[in-house]
């Protein structure tokens, strides 16, 4: 575990909410770190046409994403491609843990969006019985065993690469393109999972054409349950409960974008990111 330095503000999520929060934090001269993906957000890159983003009538999601990427590049804001597993309130600061590292910040903006990924039939039945959501956490159980990892975004690659040191065989089933960095020795299967079957324990992953036997199956999605992500945070109807300052029940912890509730829209997300960051700045300045 490494704590490199204490940040003023850690932003979790690189969609419009997170990017907007980061930009506003940097403009106010705060030391900001952003976690997410270099492609910013799948919900941006996959949108065919957007008619309601102010000033960008008819833009494609990819073009809007490129404009955002250009904006942060000009401001020298980098995205750290690590998935955040948990945010712990430590009193005067927050500890932000990723798979391999621990970071510290005085304030945090959570902008993780909401998951639209459907589960694989059987996933819930076998959860904890051969199906897991954190490969690095459960790695010791699969020493010298066969493991299949279904990865929904680039963050999952880190876990598959880690598993290779433990398991006797690792299969990687990517649900996105392109693959970035999978270690040699991992077998990549470009197939769409249909169902997980077994008896009292998961045994096989079925595809449209074929099946895969393994001792353990990991389904690595881009999102974590909100109350699991931030222990002690108040949730209302599946979203972070925030006030008009976008502050949660934990002082110094803000939320923005889809994760605070509907409407799920880019401009609402970007606006909330700004409100959250500017209030985080006030929080920092008033300490
Ligand atoms: P997201 O854009 O979902 O970004 C969240 C980011 O956080 C992602 O990059 C994710 O990888 C990252 N993340 C999540 N968890 C973690 C973690 N634990 N650690 C690190 N990073 C993490 N809205 C409109 O206003 N107009 C439209 O025309 C429109 N069209 C759409 C078309 C499609 C196909 C889709 C899917 C959505 C569309 N939307 C549209 C809705 C819009 O995409 C969302 O409301 C918006 O993207 C929300 O932004 P966000 O920043 O809250 O979250």
């Amino acid at each position: 575990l490494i704590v490199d330095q204490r940040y003023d503000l850690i932003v979790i999520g690189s969609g419009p909410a997170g990017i907007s929060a980061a930009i506003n934090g940097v403009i106010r001269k705060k030391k900001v770190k952003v976690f997410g993906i270099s492609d910013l957000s799948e919900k941006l890159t996959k949108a065919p046409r957007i008619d309601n983003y102010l000033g960008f009538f008819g833009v494609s999601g990819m073009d809007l994403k490129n404009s955002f990427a250009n904006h942060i590049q000009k401001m020298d804001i980098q995205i750290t491609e690590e998935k955040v597993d948990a945010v712990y309130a430590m009193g005067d600061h927050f500890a932000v843990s990723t798979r391999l590292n621990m970071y510290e910040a005085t304030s945090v903006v959570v902008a993780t969006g909401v998951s639209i990924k459907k589960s694989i039939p059987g996933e819930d039945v076998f959860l904890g019985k051969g199906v897991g959501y954190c490969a690095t956490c459960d790695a010791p159980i699969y020493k010298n065993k066969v493991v299949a990892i279904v990865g929904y975004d680039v963050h999952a690659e880190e876990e598959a690469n880690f598993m290779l040191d433990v398991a006797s065989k690792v299969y990687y089933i990517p649900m996105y393109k392109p693959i970035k960095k999978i270690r040699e020795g991992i077998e990549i299967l470009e197939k769409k999972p249909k169902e997980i079957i077994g008896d009292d324990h998961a045994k096989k992953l079925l595809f449209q054409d074929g099946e895969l036997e393994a001792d353990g199956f990991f389904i690595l999605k881009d999102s974590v349950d909100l109350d699991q992500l931030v222990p002690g945070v108040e949730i209302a109807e599946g979203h972070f409960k925030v006030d008009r300052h976008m502050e949660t029940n934990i002082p110094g912890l803000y939320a923005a974008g889809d994760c605070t509730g509907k409407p799920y829209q880019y401009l609402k997300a970007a606006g909330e990111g700004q409100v959250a960051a500017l209030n985080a700045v006030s929080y920092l300045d008033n300490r």
Side-chain angles (χ1 to χ4, degrees):
L1 293 182
I2 307 159
V3 175
D4 51 355
Q5 55 185 307
R6 186 169 297 180
Y7 294 90
D8 294 321
L9 172 64
I10 281 183
V11 176
I12 307 166
S14 52
I19 293 302
S20 165
I23 287 169
N24 282 280
V26 169
I27 287 172
R28 297 299 172 110
K29 304 256 181 298
K30 299 302 174 196
K31 199 154 62 167
V32 179
K33 189 165 189 77
V34 190
F35 291 98
I37 55 173
S38 58
D39 252 357
L40 304 188
S41 163
E42 212 183 44
K43 289 194 184 161
L44 270 170
T45 53
K46 290 211 167 143
R49 180 192 163 106
I50 301 156
D51 283 342
N52 64 347
Y53 201 94
L54 195 62
F56 287 85
F57 177 71
V59 72
S60 72
M62 194 55 99
D63 283 345
L64 191 58
K65 189 265 314 185
N66 288 336
S67 300
F68 289 176
N70 194 25
H71 189 157
I72 58 170
Q73 197 193 348
K74 280 188 178 147
M75 291 183 66
D76 207 20
I77 297 170
Q78 275 100 33
I79 312 285
T80 303
E81 276 200 323
E82 289 179 47
K83 179 179 171 185
V84 172
D85 288 324
V87 179
Y88 301 103
M90 309 296 286
D92 70 330
H93 72 280
F94 294 90
V96 174
S97 84
T98 67
R99 289 285 185 259
L100 303 171
N101 296 312
M102 186 74 92
Y103 299 88
E104 286 184 357
T106 310
S107 66
V108 170
V109 173
V110 185
T112 47
V114 288
S115 184
I116 47 163
K117 305 279 152 48
K118 282 204 212 106
S119 51
I120 301 168
E123 181 184 320
D124 50 343
V125 180
F126 295 107
L127 185 61
K129 298 176 202 146
V131 170
Y133 291 144
C134 176
T136 42
C137 314
D138 295 344
I141 306 171
Y142 295 102
K143 197 162 180 236
N144 298 326
K145 299 212 160 140
V146 180
V147 170
I149 295 177
V150 181
Y152 280 85
D153 76 352
V154 72
H155 290 139
E157 296 181 9
E158 209 179 281
E159 298 204 43
N161 290 334
F162 178 84
M163 193 53 99
L164 186 63
D165 290 331
V166 181
S168 60
K169 173 89 191 166
V170 177
Y171 292 95
Y172 189 65
I173 301 110
M175 303 293 284
Y176 60 93
K177 273 186 189 148
I179 292 173
K180 212 165 181 183
K181 206 173 57 201
I182 280 290
R183 282 169 65 189
E184 216 175 296
I186 295 176
E187 190 168 335
I188 297 170
L189 298 176
E190 308 247 8
K191 289 171 184 277
K192 198 171 177 301
K194 215 175 75 184
E195 194 180 349
I196 299 167
I197 59 164
D199 36 41
D200 56 340
H201 198 270
K203 290 242 149 50
K204 285 180 185 171
L205 177 59
L206 305 185
F207 303 108
Q208 225 75 16
D209 55 341
E211 57 181 47
L212 174 65
E213 237 176 277
D215 300 301
F217 301 86
F218 289 94
I219 319 291
L220 305 181
K221 295 182 193 169
D222 55 351
S223 64
V224 186
D225 283 348
L226 299 181
D227 48 355
Q228 200 185 319
L229 184 68
V230 191
V233 80
E234 232 177 280
I235 305 286
E237 289 167 22
H239 299 99
F240 286 113
K241 195 173 170 200
V242 288
D243 62 14
R244 272 195 59 78
H245 295 133
M246 306 316 293
E247 195 171 23
T248 66
N249 62 310
I250 302 171
L253 185 98
Y254 300 80
D258 285 2
C259 64
T260 70
K262 288 182 177 171
Y264 296 155
Q265 298 277 274
Y266 299 122
L267 270 178
K268 178 259 194 192
E272 286 189 356
Q274 180 179 47
V275 175
L278 294 182
N279 285 304
V281 167
S282 300
Y283 172 84
L284 289 163
D285 291 346
N286 289 329
R287 296 177 86 248

